[in-house]
Amino acid sequence: MRAPIGPSVSAPPPAAWAGADPYSAALRTGRGPLFLRRTDGWLLPLEVERWCARADAVDRQVLDRCEGAVLDVGCGPGRLVAELATRGRTALGVDVSDAAVAHSRGLGGQALCRSVFDPLPGEGRWDTVLLMDGNIGIGGEPHTLLTRVAQLLAPGGLLMAEAAPVDVDERASVQVTDSPGRAEPTEPTGQAGHPGQSGGHPFPWARLGTPALLRYAAGAGLRPVDQWSVGGRCFAALRTRTPSSSAEPANSAAVTSSQ
């Protein structure tokens, strides 16, 4: 399948928050520090340097498993779509941050400045969708996100999702910050989230370990086919159902591999 990539893939006008938040500044420099901060002050470090570098060995193992045309949801600075482009693969990244999209294109990847919940090219025809680097948290409602991903995938299509390396099922309001000190509280914007969408304001986010990811995926009609851990990171491969597999139980066991 060849998803439409070309004239239809053009960035909309910049969003009002783009270009001034800590996330955009970190992507422009290629380095942190950068954190997600919960309202209780707990910090989750964000791996800006790894995201802005080229795909590493762990990334490449995930990309080796991808099939057909690939949509990278929350592509960030674009290392994965750039790596797929060097392999001659059809791939598109989507991200709400102008800085992320610009960085992706600078690396040679195709990228579109848009939310996963907006209309996207090739809906229902993507062979593989990527949710890497914590992007299972986008919007703060995993079932809603995974249901949307299932809509984007072709029948029998493949989701490659990265889970937290701990058993967690958490939804929280977070802010992006470049300082580990406690920030002054600000009013929520009501925007559904991605690190690039904060502008310093709270937004909803989720963290899922593999067990929680599989539970929500089953509710969205995605069946697990593999899961593995490597380099301190955890991944799961899941498929949308085809008409011939619609009678399969949602909790069918995944094949577990170790690398």
Side-chain angles (χ1 to χ4, degrees):
M1 168 275 201
R2 301 286 293 183
I5 295 180
S8 63
V9 180
S10 57
W17 46 261
D21 59 281
Y23 178 74
S24 297
L27 294 194
R28 285 193 295 270
T29 62
R31 61 181 183 273
L34 198 67
F35 309 90
L36 285 184
R37 184 199 309 277
R38 284 192 321 221
T39 53
D40 62 3
W42 181 86
L43 293 172
L44 176 67
L46 301 178
E47 299 181 78
V48 176
E49 290 83 358
R50 180 172 66 81
W51 296 349
C52 289
R54 291 287 181 173
D56 62 20
V58 176
D59 296 328
R60 292 193 296 271
Q61 287 185 25
V62 174
L63 299 183
D64 288 344
R65 296 168 175 252
C66 292
E67 301 170 355
V70 181
L71 179 68
D72 185 4
V73 172
C75 66
R79 74 188 192 282
L80 302 179
V81 290
E83 172 66 20
L84 288 166
T86 65
R87 301 182 181 195
R89 299 288 297 276
T90 298
L92 174 67
V94 293
D95 202 287
V96 295
S97 165
D98 286 331
V101 170
H103 198 287
S104 299
R105 292 173 176 171
L107 292 179
Q110 292 269 12
L112 174 66
C113 190
R114 198 171 296 177
S115 166
V116 64
F117 299 107
D118 291 335
L120 294 174
E123 294 199 15
R125 293 184 286 127
W126 290 98
D127 301 300
T128 303
V129 169
L130 297 174
L131 280 175
M132 300 278 280
D133 302 324
N135 283 328
I136 188 63
I138 289 173
E141 291 294 339
H143 175 75
T144 301
L145 175 62
L146 290 167
T147 299
R148 174 58 175 154
V149 166
Q151 294 171 348
L152 296 170
L153 282 164
L158 184 67
L159 168 63
M160 306 294 291
E162 182 170 358
V166 293
D167 187 359
V168 62
D169 182 357
E170 174 187 75
R171 271 155 296 286
S173 178
V174 299
Q175 294 172 271
V176 172
T177 179
D178 54 11
S179 170
R182 181 173 292 275
E184 293 298 319
T186 57
E187 292 299 318
T189 63
Q191 294 175 328
H194 178 283
Q197 201 165 355
S198 71
H201 295 283
F203 59 97
W205 195 250
R207 292 177 68 231
L208 301 183
T210 300
L213 168 62
L214 297 181
R215 287 196 303 272
Y216 288 110
L222 294 159
R223 59 182 179 87
V225 293
D226 202 359
Q227 54 185 290
W228 71 99
S229 299
V230 60
R233 298 166 63 189
C234 298
F235 304 94
L238 307 105
R239 287 195 185 277
T240 56
R241 299 191 182 279
T242 61
S244 62
S245 65
S246 59
E248 293 179 9
N251 62 347
S252 56
V255 177
T256 303
S257 64
S258 176
Q259 298 184 26

